[in-house]
Amino acid sequence: MHRSLVRPFMGARGFSSTSEKIVASVLFERLPVVIPKLDPVVYAFQEFSFRWRQQYRRKYPDEFLDMSKSRGKGDYQIDYVPAPRITEADKTNDRKSLQRALDRRLYLLLYGDSNAAPSRKPVWHFPEKVYGSEETLRKCAESALASVLGDLSHTYFVGNAPMGHMVIQQMENVPEPFKRFFFKSQVIDTNKFNIRKCEDFVWVTKDELLEYFPEQAEFFKKMIIS
């Protein structure tokens, strides 16, 4: 169920006038490392645009072009060899590695106890924490991520406000309803983390992430833009 963040939350804790349970979750993402390949339709359009502009390009004297060709030559010239797009982690489908899907965004998922499963059965979930005595909800989200990574030295939280939220209704395995607020954080200057406090973890693309949450797939399709 989706609700808009239009109604202000006010009260003793700054978010609600009731004692309802609030959970801060972190969408921790690694940005693309290489430029994604162009869609064939986009490539064809760019090629057409280039050829069209060439018809009206300025004609320079041959003497000027000969001078430009002579520039950039010397002993300092370096041969450039591009890094491969497909890595060993791609070939083996190693979802524990950040060295995969280099042209896509990757998101961290954890397997273990979750606030969404009071029955204490392990499930796949995002780094999260129940909001308690923290000064702000973002501080709660930071604490949730720090408990998994150890520290936040290689992370960057995007903004102070949550990027979205969902209301978890009371069900057989959820004795009390609660609200889950999502904060976005990004990987900075590293390609490996020591993930802890979980039974398992994966780094997945958006399409792969939806496979882990089939019931909330539509919600995450709209919330995650990649």
Side-chain angles (χ1 to χ4, degrees), residues 28 95-98 100 107-108 187 193 201-204:
F28 192 41
R95 295 191 176 186
K96 291 183 181 294
S97 173
L98 276 170
R100 62 180 293 266
Y107 304 94
L108 175 64
V187 175
F193 287 99
F201 70 91
V202 290
W203 290 96
V204 292

Side-chain angles (χ1 to χ4, degrees), residues 81-118:
V81 180
R85 284 179 170 268
I86 306 299
T87 65
E88 285 299 320
D90 285 312
K91 296 176 182 178
T92 60
N93 194 29
D94 181 8
R95 295 191 176 186
K96 291 183 181 294
S97 173
L98 276 170
Q99 295 295 92
R100 62 180 293 266
L102 300 182
D103 60 346
R104 305 283 302 278
R105 295 170 186 250
L106 292 181
Y107 304 94
L108 175 64
L109 295 181
L110 309 175
Y111 185 74
D113 292 343
S114 166
N115 291 288

Side-chain angles (χ1 to χ4, degrees), residues 30-48:
R30 187 221 65 191
L31 296 174
V33 178
V34 299
I35 299 176
K37 286 186 176 181
L38 288 176
D39 184 273
V41 175
V42 176
Y43 178 81
F45 174 76
Q46 291 184 351
E47 184 71 12
F48 167 78

Side-chain angles (χ1 to χ4, degrees), residues 141-154:
E142 291 177 352
S143 176
L145 188 59
S147 68
V148 174
L149 305 181
D151 61 73
L152 301 177
S153 58
H154 291 288

Side-chain angles (χ1 to χ4, degrees), residues 68-81:
S68 64
K69 290 179 181 178
S70 63
R71 296 176 183 175
K73 294 181 179 180
D75 297 335
Y76 57 83
Q77 189 169 353
I78 300 175
D79 293 331
Y80 171 71
V81 180

Side-chain angles (χ1 to χ4, degrees), residues 109-194:
L109 295 181
L110 309 175
Y111 185 74
D113 292 343
S114 166
N115 291 288
S119 59
R120 293 304 175 186
K121 292 182 180 179
V123 295
W124 286 103
H125 63 280
F126 300 93
E128 61 185 15
K129 186 177 185 293
V130 175
Y131 178 59
S133 60
E134 291 82 1
E135 182 181 357
T136 64
L137 196 53
R138 170 175 157 163
K139 291 289 185 182
C140 181
E142 291 177 352
S143 176
L145 188 59
S147 68
V148 174
L149 305 181
D151 61 73
L152 301 177
S153 58
H154 291 288
T155 69
Y156 171 72
F157 272 79
V158 183
N160 292 316
M163 62 185 297
H165 90 291
M166 63 167 55
V167 178
I168 308 299
Q169 300 293 349
Q170 185 174 358
M171 297 180 291
E172 182 179 352
N173 62 335
V174 182
E176 61 174 321
F178 64 92
K179 294 178 180 178
R180 171 179 281 129
F181 290 82
F182 291 90
F183 287 80
K184 178 183 285 189
S185 183
Q186 296 174 339
V187 175
I188 299 295
D189 193 32
T190 189
N191 56 17
K192 188 175 182 180
F193 287 99
N194 182 23

